[in-house]
Amino acid sequence: MSMKDKMHTGELYLPGNDEILKRQTKCLDRLYDFNMTRPTEFEKRQKLMKEMFAEIGDGCYIEPPFHANFGGAHCHWGHHIYANFNLTMVDDTHIYVGDYTMFGPNVTIATAGHPILPELREKAYQYNAPVHIGKNCWLGAGVIVLPGITIGDNVVIGAGSIVTKDLPPNVVAVGNPCRILRKINEHDKEYYFKNRKIDLANL
Protein backbone atom coordinates (compact mmCIF):
# COMPACT_ATOMS: atom_id res chain seq x y z
CA MET A 1 0.00 0.00 0.00
CA SER A 2 1.34 3.44 -0.93
CA MET A 3 1.88 6.27 1.55
CA LYS A 4 -0.90 8.17 -0.23
CA ASP A 5 -3.32 5.29 0.38
CA LYS A 6 -2.32 5.01 4.04
CA MET A 7 -3.43 8.60 4.60
CA HIS A 8 -7.03 7.36 4.70
CA THR A 9 -6.67 4.05 6.57
CA GLY A 10 -5.57 5.20 10.03
CA GLU A 11 -2.19 3.51 9.57
CA LEU A 12 1.13 5.19 10.24
CA TYR A 13 2.64 6.83 7.17
CA LEU A 14 5.20 9.45 6.17
CA PRO A 15 3.52 12.70 5.00
CA GLY A 16 6.75 13.95 3.40
CA ASN A 17 6.36 11.46 0.55
CA ASP A 18 7.02 13.13 -2.83
CA GLU A 19 3.68 12.11 -4.34
CA ILE A 20 1.78 13.48 -1.34
CA LEU A 21 3.75 16.73 -1.23
CA LYS A 22 3.27 17.40 -4.94
CA ARG A 23 -0.51 17.08 -4.63
CA GLN A 24 -0.60 19.05 -1.38
CA THR A 25 1.35 21.95 -2.87
CA LYS A 26 -1.07 22.17 -5.79
CA CYS A 27 -4.00 22.26 -3.36
CA LEU A 28 -2.34 24.94 -1.23
CA ASP A 29 -1.79 27.12 -4.29
CA ARG A 30 -5.55 27.19 -4.88
CA LEU A 31 -6.15 27.90 -1.19
CA TYR A 32 -3.77 30.85 -1.45
CA ASP A 33 -5.77 32.17 -4.41
CA PHE A 34 -8.98 31.88 -2.38
CA ASN A 35 -7.55 33.73 0.60
CA MET A 36 -6.32 36.56 -1.64
CA THR A 37 -9.80 37.30 -3.00
CA ARG A 38 -11.55 40.57 -2.24
CA PRO A 39 -14.93 40.69 -0.46
CA THR A 40 -16.49 41.89 -3.73
CA GLU A 41 -15.25 38.77 -5.58
CA PHE A 42 -18.04 36.55 -4.32
CA GLU A 43 -18.48 34.59 -7.54
CA LYS A 44 -14.74 33.94 -7.78
CA ARG A 45 -14.74 32.61 -4.22
CA GLN A 46 -17.64 30.29 -5.00
CA LYS A 47 -15.87 28.96 -8.09
CA LEU A 48 -12.64 28.34 -6.19
CA MET A 49 -14.47 26.54 -3.38
CA LYS A 50 -16.01 24.15 -5.93
CA GLU A 51 -12.49 23.41 -7.22
CA MET A 52 -10.88 23.14 -3.78
CA PHE A 53 -13.31 20.85 -1.94
CA ALA A 54 -13.97 17.15 -2.40
CA GLU A 55 -17.67 18.07 -2.19
CA ILE A 56 -19.41 21.33 -1.35
CA GLY A 57 -23.12 22.07 -1.56
CA ASP A 58 -25.06 25.19 -2.46
CA GLY A 59 -25.08 28.32 -0.35
CA CYS A 60 -21.83 27.71 1.55
CA TYR A 61 -19.81 30.70 2.70
CA ILE A 62 -16.27 30.85 4.11
CA GLU A 63 -14.88 34.09 5.48
CA PRO A 64 -11.18 34.23 4.56
CA PRO A 65 -8.65 33.45 5.74
CA PHE A 66 -9.40 29.75 5.55
CA HIS A 67 -6.67 27.27 6.49
CA ALA A 68 -6.53 23.61 5.43
CA ASN A 69 -3.65 21.19 5.09
CA PHE A 70 -4.93 20.03 1.70
CA GLY A 71 -6.84 23.18 0.86
CA GLY A 72 -10.19 21.46 1.40
CA ALA A 73 -9.44 18.54 -0.95
CA HIS A 74 -10.60 16.05 1.70
CA CYS A 75 -13.54 18.14 2.95
CA HIS A 76 -17.12 17.05 2.20
CA TRP A 77 -19.60 19.82 2.97
CA GLY A 78 -23.35 19.82 2.62
CA HIS A 79 -25.51 22.87 1.84
CA HIS A 80 -25.68 26.30 3.49
CA ILE A 81 -22.65 25.93 5.75
CA TYR A 82 -21.13 29.10 7.22
CA ALA A 83 -17.55 29.50 8.43
CA ASN A 84 -16.28 32.62 10.16
CA PHE A 85 -12.67 33.90 10.07
CA ASN A 86 -9.75 31.52 10.55
CA LEU A 87 -11.47 28.17 10.19
CA THR A 88 -8.70 25.55 10.19
CA MET A 89 -9.41 22.14 8.71
CA VAL A 90 -6.51 19.77 9.14
CA ASP A 91 -7.84 17.72 6.24
CA ASP A 92 -5.09 15.12 5.88
CA THR A 93 -8.02 12.72 5.66
CA HIS A 94 -11.76 13.22 5.25
CA ILE A 95 -13.91 15.75 7.13
CA TYR A 96 -17.68 15.52 6.67
CA VAL A 97 -19.95 18.46 7.60
CA GLY A 98 -23.76 18.40 7.39
CA ASP A 99 -26.15 21.02 6.02
CA TYR A 100 -26.69 24.33 7.87
CA THR A 101 -23.76 23.89 10.25
CA MET A 102 -22.01 27.05 11.46
CA PHE A 103 -18.41 27.56 12.57
CA GLY A 104 -17.47 30.50 14.78
CA PRO A 105 -14.11 32.26 14.37
CA ASN A 106 -10.88 30.36 15.04
CA VAL A 107 -12.38 26.85 14.99
CA THR A 108 -10.01 23.93 14.34
CA ILE A 109 -11.09 20.53 13.02
CA ALA A 110 -8.14 18.12 13.15
CA THR A 111 -7.82 14.69 11.53
CA ALA A 112 -4.06 14.22 11.94
CA GLY A 113 -2.12 12.82 14.87
CA HIS A 114 1.39 11.64 15.69
CA PRO A 115 2.59 8.66 17.77
CA ILE A 116 3.42 9.21 21.42
CA LEU A 117 6.61 7.16 20.99
CA PRO A 118 9.41 9.72 20.47
CA GLU A 119 11.39 7.50 18.09
CA LEU A 120 8.47 7.39 15.64
CA ARG A 121 7.78 11.11 15.89
CA GLU A 122 11.46 11.76 15.22
CA LYS A 123 10.97 10.05 11.85
CA ALA A 124 7.86 12.23 11.20
CA TYR A 125 5.31 9.41 11.23
CA GLN A 126 1.67 10.44 11.22
CA TYR A 127 -1.78 8.84 11.26
CA ASN A 128 -5.18 10.27 10.36
CA ALA A 129 -8.75 9.64 11.50
CA PRO A 130 -11.82 11.17 9.81
CA VAL A 131 -14.17 13.63 11.53
CA HIS A 132 -17.96 13.64 11.05
CA ILE A 133 -20.04 16.69 12.02
CA GLY A 134 -23.80 16.45 11.68
CA LYS A 135 -26.43 18.78 10.27
CA ASN A 136 -27.39 22.11 11.79
CA CYS A 137 -24.59 22.22 14.37
CA TRP A 138 -23.04 25.37 15.82
CA LEU A 139 -19.41 25.28 16.91
CA GLY A 140 -18.60 28.43 18.90
CA ALA A 141 -15.45 30.52 18.67
CA GLY A 142 -12.21 28.68 19.29
CA VAL A 143 -13.65 25.15 19.40
CA ILE A 144 -11.17 22.35 18.69
CA VAL A 145 -12.32 18.95 17.43
CA LEU A 146 -9.79 16.11 17.64
CA PRO A 147 -9.21 13.28 15.13
CA GLY A 148 -11.80 10.53 14.78
CA ILE A 149 -14.66 12.45 16.43
CA THR A 150 -18.32 12.14 15.41
CA ILE A 151 -20.75 14.93 16.35
CA GLY A 152 -24.49 14.34 15.96
CA ASP A 153 -27.10 16.61 14.37
CA ASN A 154 -28.21 19.89 16.01
CA VAL A 155 -25.33 19.99 18.51
CA VAL A 156 -24.20 23.31 20.01
CA ILE A 157 -20.60 23.40 21.28
CA GLY A 158 -19.62 26.28 23.55
CA ALA A 159 -16.76 28.64 22.74
CA GLY A 160 -13.29 27.39 23.60
CA SER A 161 -14.33 23.76 24.03
CA ILE A 162 -12.03 20.88 23.11
CA VAL A 163 -13.96 17.90 21.79
CA THR A 164 -12.16 14.68 22.74
CA LYS A 165 -15.14 12.26 22.60
CA ASP A 166 -18.12 11.72 20.32
CA LEU A 167 -21.24 13.81 20.99
CA PRO A 168 -24.80 12.53 20.43
CA PRO A 169 -27.40 14.63 18.58
CA ASN A 170 -29.49 17.40 20.15
CA VAL A 171 -27.21 18.44 23.01
CA VAL A 172 -25.39 21.51 24.26
CA ALA A 173 -21.80 20.64 25.18
CA VAL A 174 -19.03 22.78 26.69
CA GLY A 175 -15.61 22.66 28.31
CA ASN A 176 -12.13 21.17 28.15
CA PRO A 177 -12.55 18.30 27.76
CA CYS A 178 -15.96 18.95 26.20
CA ARG A 179 -18.86 17.45 28.17
CA ILE A 180 -22.60 17.38 27.61
CA LEU A 181 -24.20 20.23 29.57
CA ARG A 182 -27.81 19.40 28.71
CA LYS A 183 -30.19 18.33 25.99
CA ILE A 184 -31.84 20.86 23.70
CA ASN A 185 -35.25 21.27 25.36
CA GLU A 186 -38.58 23.13 25.60
CA HIS A 187 -36.87 26.19 27.12
CA ASP A 188 -34.93 26.62 23.86
CA LYS A 189 -38.21 26.88 21.96
CA GLU A 190 -39.11 29.98 24.01
CA TYR A 191 -35.78 31.72 24.66
CA TYR A 192 -32.86 32.36 22.30
CA PHE A 193 -30.43 34.09 24.72
CA LYS A 194 -30.70 34.35 28.51
CA ASN A 195 -34.07 36.01 29.23
CA ARG A 196 -34.70 37.10 25.64
CA LYS A 197 -37.81 35.48 24.20
CA ILE A 198 -38.23 34.30 20.63
CA ASP A 199 -40.84 36.46 18.89
CA LEU A 200 -41.95 34.13 16.13
CA ALA A 201 -44.54 36.62 14.87
CA ASN A 202 -41.79 39.05 13.90
CA LEU A 203 -39.26 36.61 12.46
Side-chain angles (χ1 to χ4, degrees):
M1 186 181 295
S2 70
M3 290 293 174
K4 183 181 174 183
D5 292 333
K6 286 184 177 181
M7 289 177 65
H8 307 296
T9 65
E11 296 179 62
L12 290 172
Y13 75 102
L14 294 169
N17 171 272
D18 286 345
E19 184 184 12
I20 293 172
L21 287 177
K22 185 176 179 181
R23 178 170 178 259
Q24 185 175 22
T25 302
K26 184 178 179 181
C27 293
L28 293 176
D29 267 350
R30 267 188 309 203
L31 176 60
Y32 179 89
D33 291 340
F34 175 82
N35 284 329
M36 291 300 107
T37 56
R38 295 176 179 274
T40 52
E41 296 181 301
F42 179 78
E43 289 183 8
K44 183 178 180 180
R45 286 182 181 177
Q46 294 295 306
K47 182 176 182 293
L48 283 167
M49 285 161 56
K50 294 282 187 186
E51 294 173 4
M52 290 158 52
F53 278 59
E55 298 175 271
I56 190 163
D58 297 328
C60 293
Y61 184 84
I62 300 174
E63 193 71 67
F66 169 54
H67 312 284
N69 285 29
F70 279 79
H74 301 136
C75 294
H76 307 259
W77 282 22
H79 302 291
H80 304 289
I81 292 164
Y82 172 79
N84 211 322
F85 300 102
N86 287 315
L87 174 63
T88 297
M89 294 216 146
V90 185
D91 63 335
D92 291 76
T93 194
H94 302 289
I95 298 173
Y96 301 89
V97 182
D99 302 344
Y100 298 101
T101 284
M102 297 190 299
F103 297 101
N106 300 306
V107 169
T108 298
I109 312 298
T111 66
H114 302 279
I116 300 297
L117 190 67
E119 291 82 357
L120 290 176
R121 278 204 322 280
E122 196 174 75
K123 294 176 181 177
Y125 276 102
Q126 179 175 315
Y127 62 89
N128 305 319
V131 170
H132 295 78
I133 299 171
K135 295 180 180 179
N136 205 20
C137 294
W138 174 24
L139 281 67
V143 166
I144 298 172
V145 178
L146 297 187
I149 294 296
T150 295
I151 296 168
D153 295 344
N154 306 314
V155 171
V156 175
I157 302 175
S161 298
I162 301 181
V163 185
T164 62
K165 293 183 179 178
D166 293 352
L167 293 171
N170 302 305
V171 298
V172 177
V174 299
N176 177 16
C178 190
R179 293 185 175 89
I180 296 170
L181 180 65
R182 62 178 177 83
K183 290 185 178 180
I184 294 170
N185 56 36
E186 293 300 314
H187 179 272
D188 301 306
K189 293 179 180 179
E190 189 173 356
Y191 296 90
Y192 67 91
F193 178 66
K194 296 187 178 179
N195 64 345
R196 292 182 175 266
K197 287 193 172 185
I198 299 169
D199 184 3
L200 290 174
N202 289 312
L203 289 179

